[in-house]
Amino acid sequence: MATRRLLPFKDMGGCSITGIMDESGRRFAGDTIIRSIRNMHERSNGLGGGFAAYGIYPERDEQYAMHLMFDTHQAKRDTEALLDQRATVHLAEPIPTRAHPAISGEPILHRYFVNIEADRGRPHLGEDDLVVELHMQINAEVEDAFVFSAGKNMGCFKGVGYPEDIGEFFRLEEYDAYIWIAHGRFPTNTTGWWGGAHPFSLLDWAIVHNGEISSYGINKRYLRNFGYECTLQTDTEVIAYMFDLLMRKHGLPLELACSAMAPPFWNEIERMDEVEQAQARAIRAVYGGALLNGPFAVVVGSTGRMIGFSDRTKLRPQVCARSGDRLYISSEEAAIRTVCPDPDVVWHPEAGEPVLGELQAGVKVN
Amino acid sequence: MPEWLTQAEFVIERDPERCIQCKVCVRQCANEVHRFDAELGEVFSDSDKCVGCHRCVSLCPTNALSVRQVELDFRSNANWTPQAIRNIYKQAEQGGVLLTGMGNPEPLPVYWDRMLLNASQVTNPSIDPLREPMELLTYLGAKPTRLKYEGGDEPRLETELGPQLELQVPVMFSTMSYGSISYNASLALARAASEVGTYANTGEGGLHAGIRPFAKNMIVQVASGRFGVDADYLNAAAAVEIKIGQGAKPGIGGHLPGEKVTAEISATRMIPLGTDAISPAPHHDIYSIEDLRQLIYAIKETTRYRKPVGVKIAAVHHIAAIASGAVRAGADFVAIDGYRGGTGAAPTMIRNNVGIPIEFALAAVDARLREEGIRQDASLVVAGSFRCAADVVKAIALGADACYIGTGALVAMGCHLCQKCYTGRCNWGIATQDPYLTRRLNPNIAVRRLVNLLESWRHEIKEIMGGMGINAVESLRGNRDHLRGIGLTDRELNALGIQMAGE
Ligand code: SF4
Ligand code: SF4
């Protein structure tokens, strides 16, 4: 397993994605998102499905919820030894699942609620940095162990199967979240591996992605400069790391982060006013390695925020809708209308234009 | 024993049926191969002096001439090749260092030919550059690691970007000095660069007054001879390049013989008429990396930090460490010249045996700079024989920001690679100062040919990128996933940082 996932191969294939956010922070159960993604059954092939949910652990919202999979008991023991050594584990428990006729061959699925104390030898690293380090370390070094997610008050649930079956397997109707994102996979070049399903997550970033990134080769080398090791078979992780780098580490506002990843064309830049032009040129010159090329549409979740965006020529579908406090982003309008038959507004965002869902002012979720 | 054992390298065949005794060949050959015998009323040829430049063949109005390389004039021997034997005869007869021109012609592997490019099928649509945008715009110069913004509703850029060169196509004309090539050739390169939106490089020949109008598309060089260098020169150009070395002759200097130092050249290089222009092997003020730093900053001060300052080095062993040193010394771009790079004159032994292939140099430097986290501090320009658009695409995928072409540009202007540039008798009017010969190169036509070349490469690069499903050159740069090796060993694949075809 460990060697397989270290192959520097990209994820290729088509997919279905959908995301629902309640901007009032009101939480709702996972059966809605399951119905939405089930509607796009045809867009996946049973080799991967998954979900990310925000706001599911309100009673432990100061702790990092680490969702892990292990192929062997040894891997679990090794990981737990590492966790004991590097972190404080407040609670360890199996992730609840139910026997499902369509799901088999599941790995050991466990979750840990942890905190990491500041490292006195490296005072410049905050807790987030240490959690990222631990996350990467488990993925790279512990044989047969893999971190699904490690963020606060959120978690990823994913595996091999159709997404609706995976959702039922993980009993998602028992969780309440204010953001749900889901993914159904149609991979063409990877055999089913639970860790390879989407969402891909880092800290509280979770990404579902439809498409293929033709710039993957340079994106991963660019990210390596900043300490991100791309070890998965999927190019979705580069998007997650890129968001983390641009927004968390470099502090770019969302619009600018997205314009680094899907910048306007030069001929559009030439038509901008002088100040905007200087900005756009600087972004393209400095963040060339962050440009994501090739067809993609993604939905990104993070605490209090859901973002949809697509490549700069929009070679993959993305449609959005709003209904009251809810924002929907999906590959297909039908998947929205299944769960929200009569939205206030439905629209197709422009290529490269980010769509942002944010908690309303004053709403606290962590 | 006869005094001269050197034999003709070429045979000239004149078809008597076709030859109309027009004497074009007599006038065209500066090597005086063709001779008109007035008494007999016939043209004769003395193949001994022929260098195989095909000028006479190209210009003969009746196609009466053909020039062929003499094959198998020695008993075959895989070790003692005809060239090796001829070289010994030449040295035994004349003594001295064997001289030559242009790049290394030896049958060593060309690694570009062992790398193949990718294209999209099904899962990722390819892009048609005729219908969709396909962007090649490239900025050369130091970039900050990150941009800082002032927050607020309307984020405002705080970071100021240092000086950048803006290239419409990631190909520039390499260093070719006025002196090593003719004024017309230099002018044509400068004009073509400004027409296309790229840059030409003065080499160490100074900036001729007639070329100044194109200076904003010129990179000026500061080499060990410091020819033509003053504050004006540095400030006139778009960028400054410090020449440490050159791929064709790493570790040695240059020598423009006094007879080539005409009035124009003496004025441009700022040296007395008719004196030898000698570029020492090292800069006499650079004996270590700190000294290089001083020169870089002296130039930056002189140009008030408004021009990118680059460093050109030859690809040699430990190139990664050397390039990293140059970047740390403050270079805004590093130009690396591989062992196939051209030259106006070089000792044959050096040209054919010193240096390493640009492919490995580039792969190592790009990887090293990334490892050290300083790749964005400088752009990488590579030189050393880029023959076609595919070579350029492969170089960018390996990690280059742009390529320099020298030989390719001369070939576009008519050069036939006879390798006799050092004789000053270039029949194509390129590597010569003889007014009778330089007149042959019409700058207007040469500009058109150079522009055509870059335009056609631009189209080809776009076509290849479109096939890969990439619509901006920054997504190709350093994207080694789009390269696959064939016929390479594991070590070679690792050194190039690429996978094997089929993987
Ligand atoms: S040197 Fe050139 S011009 Fe002269 S004979 Fe040979 S090929 Fe013809
Ligand atoms: S520039 Fe002239 S002398 Fe030099 S190789 Fe080309 S044709 Fe021959």
Side-chain angles (χ1 to χ4, degrees), chain B residues 88-326:
Chain B
I88 291 214
Y89 288 153
K90 226 189 254 174
Q91 292 190 301
E93 282 152 15
Q94 304 172 358
V97 170
L98 295 165
L99 271 186
T100 187
M102 299 317 269
N104 191 340
E106 295 298 307
L108 295 159
V110 178
Y111 283 90
W112 300 126
D113 296 339
R114 300 186 180 194
M115 286 185 257
L116 295 173
L117 293 161
N118 192 28
S120 311
Q121 300 288 291
V122 186
T123 55
N124 182 353
S126 41
I127 306 165
D128 178 356
L130 295 177
R131 294 188 305 151
E132 310 263 0
M134 188 58 65
E135 303 185 313
L136 299 186
L137 190 79
T138 300
Y139 283 106
L140 298 186
K143 321 271 189 307
T145 313
R146 55 174 287 195
L147 291 174
K148 288 214 174 88
Y149 280 87
E150 241 165 48
D153 287 346
E154 290 268 303
R156 215 174 44 78
L157 186 60
E158 255 182 62
T159 317
E160 235 177 85
L161 218 54
Q164 307 284 326
L165 293 180
E166 188 180 296
L167 278 66
Q168 299 298 329
V169 47
V171 180
M172 304 190 287
F173 297 129
S174 192
T175 42
M176 286 171 280
S177 66
Y178 169 44
S180 75
I181 58 170
S182 64
Y183 173 71
N184 284 355
S186 307
L187 178 64
L189 289 164
R191 274 177 51 189
S194 80
E195 210 167 290
V196 172
T198 182
Y199 298 83
N201 191 313
T202 60
E204 50 181 326
L207 190 58
H208 188 281
I211 291 174
R212 276 205 178 222
F214 307 100
K216 67 172 191 4
N217 288 90
M218 299 291 295
I219 298 172
V220 294
Q221 226 185 23
V222 173
S224 60
R226 300 288 152 87
F227 300 123
V229 178
D230 63 8
D232 239 25
Y233 168 83
L234 299 176
N235 279 298
V240 182
E241 181 181 275
I242 298 170
K243 177 192 174 180
I244 298 297
Q246 169 180 356
K249 41 179 175 179
I252 68 166
H255 179 181
L256 188 71
E259 60 263 28
K260 286 195 194 170
V261 180
T262 60
E264 294 281 297
I265 290 182
S266 104
T268 310
R269 294 208 176 195
M270 304 175 186
I271 52 170
L273 189 70
T275 51
D276 286 6
I278 293 178
S279 307
H283 286 246
H284 284 319
D285 52 359
I286 301 182
Y287 281 80
S288 69
I289 198 85
E290 317 81 271
D291 295 343
L292 174 65
R293 186 180 172 80
Q294 281 196 1
L295 180 59
I296 290 174
Y297 278 90
I299 294 172
K300 287 190 177 188
E301 288 287 335
T302 314
T303 54
R304 298 178 190 284
Y305 296 86
R306 284 197 205 114
K307 319 268 178 196
V309 176
V311 173
K312 179 177 178 179
I313 46 183
V316 291
H317 310 172
H318 306 301
I319 184 69
I322 299 165
S324 157

Side-chain angles (χ1 to χ4, degrees), chain A residues 59-262:
Chain A
E59 64 290 347
R60 295 191 175 272
D61 61 4
E62 285 307 311
Q63 300 163 8
Y64 294 84
M66 298 189 77
H67 285 199
L68 274 113
M69 64 162 268
F70 308 104
D71 288 317
T72 59
H73 287 281
Q74 185 57 44
K76 182 162 176 279
R77 282 192 292 274
D78 292 346
T79 306
E80 285 173 354
L82 186 65
L83 285 175
D84 281 341
Q85 184 193 328
R86 301 213 32 194
T88 311
V89 179
H90 306 286
L91 174 69
E93 61 182 13
I95 300 176
T97 57
R98 63 160 62 92
H100 193 287
I103 303 294
S104 60
E106 65 267 27
I108 303 164
L109 297 157
H110 224 75
R111 64 188 169 202
Y112 304 83
F113 292 87
V114 308
N115 282 107
I116 303 185
E117 261 178 48
D119 182 338
R120 252 176 288 138
R122 298 178 299 165
H124 57 285
L125 295 181
E127 192 173 12
D128 276 354
D129 297 309
L130 296 170
V131 171
V132 171
E133 195 179 75
L134 179 63
H135 181 147
M136 301 258 172
Q137 190 183 3
I138 295 173
N139 285 355
E141 291 172 17
V142 184
E143 189 97 0
D144 298 336
F146 183 74
V147 183
F148 280 179
S149 60
K152 286 180 179 168
N153 202 4
M154 60 81 69
C156 285
F157 305 88
K158 59 185 188 176
V160 175
Y162 283 97
E164 56 272 24
D165 300 332
I166 291 288
E168 287 165 4
F169 169 78
F170 277 109
R171 300 158 62 164
L172 295 185
E173 73 283 357
E174 294 170 11
Y175 295 85
D176 291 323
Y178 62 93
I179 297 174
W180 284 98
I181 61 180
H183 187 260
R185 223 177 146 210
F186 200 132
T188 55
N189 73 339
T190 50
T191 49
W193 173 56
W194 283 58
H198 296 204
F200 182 80
S201 182
L202 184 77
L203 289 174
D204 65 338
W205 295 108
I207 312 250
V208 289
H209 161 219
N210 170 15
E212 182 182 335
I213 294 187
S214 49
S215 55
Y216 176 76
I218 182 57
N219 299 142
K220 77 176 174 202
R221 297 182 77 208
Y222 176 74
L223 285 164
R224 200 175 293 147
N225 279 356
F226 299 98
Y228 298 90
E229 278 301 330
C230 296
T231 54
L232 276 173
Q233 291 178 68
T234 153
D235 45 4
T236 308
E237 65 175 336
V238 308
I239 306 176
Y241 296 161
M242 214 62 95
F243 268 100
D244 188 61
L245 172 73
L246 298 176
M247 295 189 64
R248 184 174 67 89
K249 285 205 183 156
H250 288 187
L252 296 191
L254 173 72
E255 297 280 330
L256 293 176
C258 289
S259 80
M261 291 183 275

Side-chain angles (χ1 to χ4, degrees), chain B residues 53 102 410 414-421 426-428 430-431:
Chain B
C53 75
M102 299 317 269
L410 297 188
C415 162
H416 275 56
L417 281 170
C418 69
Q419 306 180 36
K420 296 288 173 185
C421 320
C426 174
N427 275 328
W428 293 92
I430 299 167

Side-chain angles (χ1 to χ4, degrees), chain B residues 12 29 31 33-34 49-57 67 427:
Chain B
I12 292 164
C29 183
N31 296 309
V33 170
H34 306 290
K49 293 186 243 160
C50 176
V51 301
C53 75
H54 289 83
R55 177 77 187 181
C56 57
V57 178
V67 170
N427 275 328

